[in-house]
Amino acid sequence: MLNGKKILLVISGGIAAYKSLELIRLIRKNGGDVKCILTQGGAQFVTPLSVASLSENPVYTDLWSLKDETEMGHIRLSRDCDLIIIAPTSANMMAKMAHGMAGDLASTTLLASNKPIMVFPAMNPQMWENAATQDNIKTLAARGIKIISPATGDMACGEVGKGRLPEATEMLESLITHFQNNKPLAGLRAIVTSGPTFEPIDPVRFVGNRSSGKQGHAIARALSDMGASVTLVSGPTSLKDPDDIKTIRVETTAQMLEFCQKSLPADIAVCAAAVADWAPEQYASSKIKKGNDDKLSLSFTQNPDILKTLSTPSSSRPALVVGFAAETEHLLDNAKAKLTKKGCDWVVANLVSADNPAFNVDENQVYFVTSKTVEEWPKSSKDDIARQLVERIAKHFANKAFKIAAE
Ligand code: C5P
């Protein structure tokens, strides 16, 4: 139900921290991935070892840990997730958040975050009712932070009142509801091409490229997360088919085109595949043997262009067609030329260089090119680029809907 959603769980100090261990288990059982930050206070109640074992991820505790700062870093930690939850959230943690303090890993990560944040306060009823806490809650809520009110009941301190952390199953429900409500692309259909294509030479050899499919698969997941009904047409990759996304696996460019066309009509097409432009003219039905000649010549014919075909004006053209451009030189000129030549609406362009290998790596630095604008997007994970692109797509369709409604 959480479909590979990445959750960053901050565990701050409180006797209720034991419930977060159960929450980690439930998130994983429901298909989510969870990374945890344990505050100093949190570590008084649960151990880093139990959190790491249950999450099967490293646990982050220290802002000044050189290893985490080089490999992960608080900025990356705050960006590389779909949702941040703080459970339990102590009164102290809320006060720090309300005042923008950043003296430890948890508060710094929260201040650096551009992701939705959900807090589960848990504390003694008097602390909860204290005007300082209530003011902090109002401040946080006004900033768009989702506050899940504590439950009422017996407290560990012996008092009775409001301040209990909800049970893990209830916290899980809040997470699922959050993801269900955030679906601006519901009702729209999307086709995504991903990975390389392989063109066979003989039964054991092919012409292909190094594309991993990471970017295309991430886009398919991001579209699906925002509610689109996605068909992913993927060339050969080692990635597993994304949960709940119709995935068609193909080998050749001709098959990729065939299944894209069969998946029409669609509202959105994103061609992220690194398609082989050429296919051997002849297929040898048995393995080509080494002969006396020390040379082998193959001739190639040009493959159909899937992006261009999908972009061609017709009654079945998707309303928005997005292409990719990987270039080794004159990136922006080539990307702009591609918009016109292929007839697509947007191009996501990246320079393939020693600094930005683009292929088969997790990070990329891209430019977002339309007929009117060129934007440089900062280097980030392919998951983040996918989310940013899909947010753009959602905005595009929201504007369109607004225009139609206003007409
Ligand atoms: O022409 P070039 O290969 O540089 O264009 C890249 C863009 O075109 C990518 O979006 C790629 O998926 C798409 N493409 C395609 N079919 C081809 C070649 C490229 O869809 N035969």
Side-chain angles (χ1 to χ4, degrees), residues 193 253 256 270-277 303-308 322-327 338 341-342:
T193 70
T253 305
M256 190 172 267
V270 182
C271 293
V275 179
D277 291 320
N303 272 327
D305 192 308
I306 302 165
L307 176 61
K308 195 170 174 184
V322 185
F324 272 69
E327 302 288 344
K338 208 155 284 184
K341 207 171 108 200
K342 308 244 187 184

Side-chain angles (χ1 to χ4, degrees), residues 252-268:
T252 65
T253 305
Q255 290 164 353
M256 190 172 267
L257 175 62
E258 179 192 340
F259 283 99
C260 284
Q261 286 178 315
K262 279 189 179 157
S263 306
L264 291 169
D267 305 282
I268 304 157

Side-chain angles (χ1 to χ4, degrees), residues 195-199 207-209 252-253 273-279 301-304:
T197 55
F198 287 177
E199 305 297 341
V207 179
N209 61 66
T252 65
T253 305
V275 179
D277 291 320
W278 304 89
T301 49
Q302 227 181 83
N303 272 327

Side-chain angles (χ1 to χ4, degrees), residues 89-360:
T89 314
S90 63
N92 180 43
M93 175 59 83
M94 276 196 290
K96 284 187 189 173
M97 289 168 75
H99 295 282
M101 292 173 74
D104 57 16
L105 179 63
S107 53
T108 308
T109 304
L110 292 165
L111 197 61
S113 163
N114 60 356
K115 300 293 172 194
I117 300 176
M118 186 181 277
V119 304
F120 291 91
M123 63 201 71
N124 165 279
Q126 288 302 324
M127 288 170 82
W128 170 255
E129 275 159 28
N130 189 297
T133 305
Q134 289 302 315
D135 282 351
N136 290 336
I137 288 169
K138 281 190 203 113
T139 305
L140 296 178
R143 290 182 197 149
I145 291 177
K146 177 99 181 145
I147 316 279
I148 308 289
S149 272
T152 303
D154 293 335
M155 304 297 295
C157 56
E159 294 180 19
V160 180
K162 195 165 179 172
R164 278 174 64 90
L165 186 68
E167 297 309 316
T169 47
E170 293 166 309
M171 291 195 272
L172 178 74
E173 254 170 56
S174 301
L175 303 193
I176 291 173
T177 309
H178 164 84
F179 288 116
Q180 279 169 348
N181 288 344
N182 194 13
K183 304 235 178 266
L185 294 177
L188 297 181
R189 281 168 296 188
I191 300 171
V192 179
T193 70
S194 182
T197 55
F198 287 177
E199 305 297 341
I201 298 170
D202 67 17
V204 295
R205 302 185 179 96
F206 61 85
V207 179
N209 61 66
R210 296 181 199 281
S211 168
S212 62
K214 284 180 181 168
Q215 186 65 81
H217 279 55
I219 292 167
R221 276 196 309 274
L223 283 163
S224 170
D225 286 351
M226 290 229 196
S229 159
V230 181
T231 303
L232 173 63
V233 187
S234 170
T237 76
S238 57
L239 301 175
K240 93 180 206 337
D241 294 350
D243 291 337
D244 292 345
I245 293 180
K246 181 179 172 191
T247 305
I248 301 168
R249 286 188 168 256
V250 297
E251 281 261 327
T252 65
T253 305
Q255 290 164 353
M256 190 172 267
L257 175 62
E258 179 192 340
F259 283 99
C260 284
Q261 286 178 315
K262 279 189 179 157
S263 306
L264 291 169
D267 305 282
I268 304 157
V270 182
C271 293
V275 179
D277 291 320
W278 304 89
E281 202 161 22
Q282 265 165 1
Y283 172 72
S285 55
S286 50
K287 186 179 168 190
I288 300 172
K289 292 292 197 191
K290 272 185 279 188
N292 293 332
D293 198 351
D294 60 1
K295 279 190 188 150
L296 172 70
S297 299
L298 293 171
S299 55
F300 291 84
T301 49
Q302 227 181 83
N303 272 327
D305 192 308
I306 302 165
L307 176 61
K308 195 170 174 184
T309 310
L310 294 178
S311 300
T312 304
S314 77
S315 57
S316 61
R317 184 197 192 275
L320 183 68
V321 184
V322 185
F324 272 69
E327 302 288 344
T328 51
E329 54 192 3
H330 309 303
L331 176 65
L332 295 179
D333 287 345
N334 282 329
K336 282 181 206 157
K338 208 155 284 184
L339 270 182
T340 328
K341 207 171 108 200
K342 308 244 187 184
C344 58
D345 302 292
W346 302 343
V347 164
V348 179
N350 56 259
L351 192 64
V352 182
S353 64
D355 283 350
N356 194 57
F359 279 76
N360 221 349

